[in-house]
Amino acid sequence: MKIGRNAPCPCGSGKKYKKCCMHKVAPPSLTLYYQRLSEAHDRLVNRLLAHATRIFGKESFAVAMDEFLLWPGPEDEIPEEMLDRIGAIFWLWFLFNWEYDAKDAGVDLPGPEGRTVAELYAEARAGRLTPLEQRLIESVNRTPYSFWEALSVDRGEGMTLRDVLTGSRIDVLERSASEHVESGDILFGRAVSVDGVGMLMGLGVTLIPPAFKPRVIELRKRMRHGGSAVTGETLYDWDTEIRELYFHFDRSLHTAPELHNTDGHRLEFHRLVYDVASAEEAFGKLSDLCVTMTPEELGADAARDENGRIVRVEIPWERKGGGISLGMAVTLLGRIVIDGRRLTAEVNSAERAETLRREIDARLRSSGRFRVDEIQDLDGMLSRHPATEGESGTPKDHEALMQQPEIREHLVEMISRHWESWVNESIPALGGRTPRDAVKTADGREAVEALLQDAERSRGQNPFMLEANRKGAARVRELLGLPSR
């Protein structure tokens, strides 16, 4: 980065560059100046905290935190882990953004209203601030937090960021965060330029993946009401709504997701138990619950007695179509095992248990007697069916299946159909619009791009599935006229 003649000298002397280090053989490096700024920032923060305690008292910390968290009520429990995560951005907001308002606080504090801690400190230290302290306060004070998209990442060195709300860009030096950020990630915090050096002064620890970007774009559209551009002043006015959205993202990304099956039902494992008159008779009445195999094919794998009569058999309960999962021709809904005069049927939701019980009762009638519906949580289910190397469905077996050409060919076809149909599907993240409709506007194109970028990430996908999804996303770009990546 070239240093202007009249810019402050990177050595931190407070003099202009031309009057200080310009004519030296080797001026201080940008990295060295960044280090000096960081050290000055840390010293300043400690001094500001001490000043806040003197002016407002320690009670101000709780008052400011209450406002920062948007005044949660007694029923709004804030997890301790969340308080730990937001600590870094809270304290810098408290020092550079919080203004005491007696009416909002509901508490009488000794300090003045309408002034930030940084402003009060600068006033008290007038003429005694170091040059770096002065420039840091001028750059950071009252600068709002926002959502920053990582356009490019120089791992271990820095990033190029774009404010999703205002559109402004900045190159920041940031060694720690850049080790973990990927292009497309969204960061929450404050990026400022101090003497031409881009720095993150307050950064949320929660990395926001691209799939969340459409929500930020929706907020941006609300902020543009009337067609006006989003500016720093707009961010200041919308500070509460911006933080509210970040807290929503933070909770979503740190809350264990509720698991659902392909019908959208919450996972809950049910085991229906029946007494039956005979395995042979029950099989004859229930075999049509399988739609991919004939009774003869199912019976071929059955255990039989010396007279050739079925004594044990398994029936997959299936349905044509994939529920909410696109591209699936058949959905496996459950598993029925008839062993002697005992029938057990396992499904993974209360809704499927109710449906299957109606189906079994209607078919068996007087030849079967319902005994019990055993309900188990996920841990209980796993303990009853421990994964072993020889068990079907273990990772080892799954990997072996993925190596079979016919399986891979089927998956490629299924994923391709999913992406082909996706462009015309109503997508909740796009406000219920289809991608084909959404790309007709600049905001919509940006939102669709974010969803595609999210789908192309590895995130534990095996290489085969990752490549198939990347090809599918490329096909979507082709269909929608979006630039290829």
Side-chain angles (χ1 to χ4, degrees):
M1 179 184 294
K2 186 177 180 180
I3 304 170
R5 290 170 51 86
N6 293 310
C9 186
C11 75
S13 66
K15 300 178 182 178
K16 292 184 178 180
Y17 178 49
K18 67 183 179 182
K19 295 288 187 179
C20 192
C21 294
M22 178 176 174
H23 301 293
K24 294 181 180 179
V25 175
S29 69
L30 193 62
T31 302
L32 177 59
Y33 190 43
Y34 172 78
Q35 181 178 340
R36 289 176 178 172
L37 280 172
S38 298
E39 291 169 353
H41 168 268
D42 293 343
R43 289 194 300 270
L44 177 61
V45 166
N46 289 332
R47 292 168 183 169
L48 290 176
L49 284 171
H51 193 71
T53 304
R54 285 194 298 271
I55 299 299
F56 293 103
K58 289 186 177 181
E59 191 176 6
S60 63
F61 301 164
V63 170
M65 177 63 85
D66 194 50
E67 180 178 339
F68 186 72
L69 292 172
L70 311 176
W71 301 278
E75 72 283 357
D76 299 319
E77 183 178 350
I78 308 297
E80 192 69 33
E81 314 86 71
M82 182 177 179
L83 293 175
D84 291 340
R85 290 193 300 271
I86 67 171
I89 53 175
F90 163 71
W91 288 112
L92 290 179
W93 178 88
F94 169 65
L95 299 175
F96 293 102
N97 297 79
W98 176 71
E99 305 168 45
Y100 171 50
D101 183 314
K103 183 178 179 181
D104 283 345
V107 174
D108 290 329
L109 298 177
E113 297 185 74
R115 309 287 299 283
T116 69
V117 174
E119 289 166 355
L120 294 170
Y121 177 79
E123 183 179 288
R125 297 276 301 176
R128 291 178 293 161
L129 289 176
T130 68
L132 286 184
E133 283 182 333
Q134 182 69 44
R135 292 197 289 278
L136 281 167
I137 290 175
E138 290 173 352
S139 298
V140 181
N141 190 55
R142 294 183 182 270
T143 301
Y145 287 150
S146 190
F147 293 97
W148 297 87
E149 179 183 11
L151 299 180
S152 61
V153 179
D154 185 5
R155 199 163 297 283
E157 296 294 333
M159 300 171 281
T160 298
L161 305 177
R162 183 178 76 91
D163 189 328
V164 181
L165 297 175
T166 69
S168 63
R169 298 191 182 201
I170 187 171
D171 294 319
V172 298
L173 293 176
E174 176 54 57
R175 290 181 175 171
S176 179
S178 64
E179 289 284 0
H180 309 285
V181 176
E182 294 182 44
S183 176
D185 277 334
I186 297 172
L187 294 77
F188 181 77
R190 173 168 40 215
V192 298
S193 178
V194 185
D195 293 344
V197 179
M199 304 180 70
L200 289 167
M201 300 292 193
L203 176 65
V205 299
T206 298
L207 278 180
I208 305 167
F212 287 71
K213 186 179 177 183
R215 289 290 303 274
V216 184
I217 294 172
E218 283 300 314
L219 175 61
R220 185 178 69 195
K221 288 166 65 176
R222 289 166 51 204
M223 296 168 71
R224 284 177 179 166
H225 183 68
S228 58
V230 176
T231 64
E233 185 177 348
T234 316
L235 297 182
Y236 189 83
D237 292 339
W238 285 72
D239 173 64
T240 297
E241 290 82 0
I242 292 170
R243 284 206 312 281
E244 183 178 31
L245 184 57
Y246 174 69
F247 294 150
H248 172 74
F249 289 162
D250 179 84
R251 290 187 185 95
S252 299
L253 291 166
H254 290 94
T255 301
E258 187 175 80
L259 301 178
H260 297 80
N261 62 25
T262 54
D263 287 330
H265 305 151
R266 185 173 66 85
L267 285 189
E268 183 178 276
F269 297 96
H270 288 247
R271 186 169 180 259
L272 307 176
V273 180
Y274 283 80
D275 290 336
V276 295
S278 76
E280 179 94 21
E281 181 181 0
F283 172 70
K285 294 180 177 181
L286 300 177
S287 60
D288 65 330
L289 291 172
C290 176
V291 299
T292 58
M293 299 175 69
T294 65
E296 290 74 23
E297 290 171 327
L298 290 171
D301 293 326
R304 299 175 182 272
D305 62 17
E306 62 274 13
N307 298 316
R309 295 179 62 83
I310 291 175
V311 293
R312 191 182 191 283
V313 66
E314 182 174 330
I315 304 170
W317 177 37
E318 300 169 330
R319 179 191 62 216
K320 292 183 178 179
I324 62 173
S325 298
L326 298 176
M328 292 179 62
V330 174
T331 300
L332 177 63
L333 302 172
R335 184 175 77 116
I336 302 169
V337 176
I338 307 170
D339 191 352
R341 299 184 62 180
R342 176 60 60 91
L343 180 152
T344 58
E346 295 180 343
V347 292
N348 61 14
S349 74
E351 292 84 353
R352 287 183 179 177
E354 183 180 349
T355 300
L356 182 55
R357 185 176 172 186
R358 285 200 303 268
E359 296 285 352
I360 293 174
D361 289 347
R363 286 167 171 77
L364 293 184
R365 296 184 182 275
S366 60
S367 62
R369 182 183 177 187
F370 175 72
R371 284 292 187 184
V372 67
D373 178 1
E374 299 175 353
I375 305 174
Q376 294 182 307
D377 58 16
L378 181 59
D379 291 338
M381 188 67 177
L382 291 176
S383 66
R384 281 207 320 112
H385 296 283
T388 62
E389 284 194 359
E391 183 184 353
S392 177
T394 64
K396 182 177 179 180
D397 292 330
H398 176 74
E399 187 61 33
L401 281 173
M402 291 295 291
Q403 298 305 316
Q404 296 181 20
E406 62 273 17
I407 297 294
R408 293 166 74 97
E409 182 180 348
H410 174 70
L411 285 173
V412 167
E413 181 183 352
M414 183 178 73
I415 294 170
S416 177
R417 286 201 308 269
H418 161 74
W419 285 112
E420 292 272 353
S421 62
W422 185 80
V423 299
N424 296 311
E425 290 288 331
S426 173
I427 307 299
L430 299 176
R433 292 174 298 166
T434 68
R436 192 179 295 280
D437 286 336
V439 297
K440 294 176 182 177
T441 67
D443 286 341
R445 284 194 298 276
E446 189 177 349
V448 170
E449 274 285 3
L451 295 179
L452 293 175
Q453 189 173 10
D454 194 76
E456 293 168 324
R457 295 190 158 200
S458 55
R459 290 180 306 185
Q461 293 187 74
N462 66 61
F464 170 75
M465 294 293 288
L466 176 60
E467 181 61 22
N469 277 319
R470 285 178 174 171
K471 287 181 178 179
R475 175 58 177 157
V476 168
R477 289 192 172 91
E478 180 183 339
L479 291 171
L480 299 180
L482 298 174
S484 59
R485 287 172 57 83

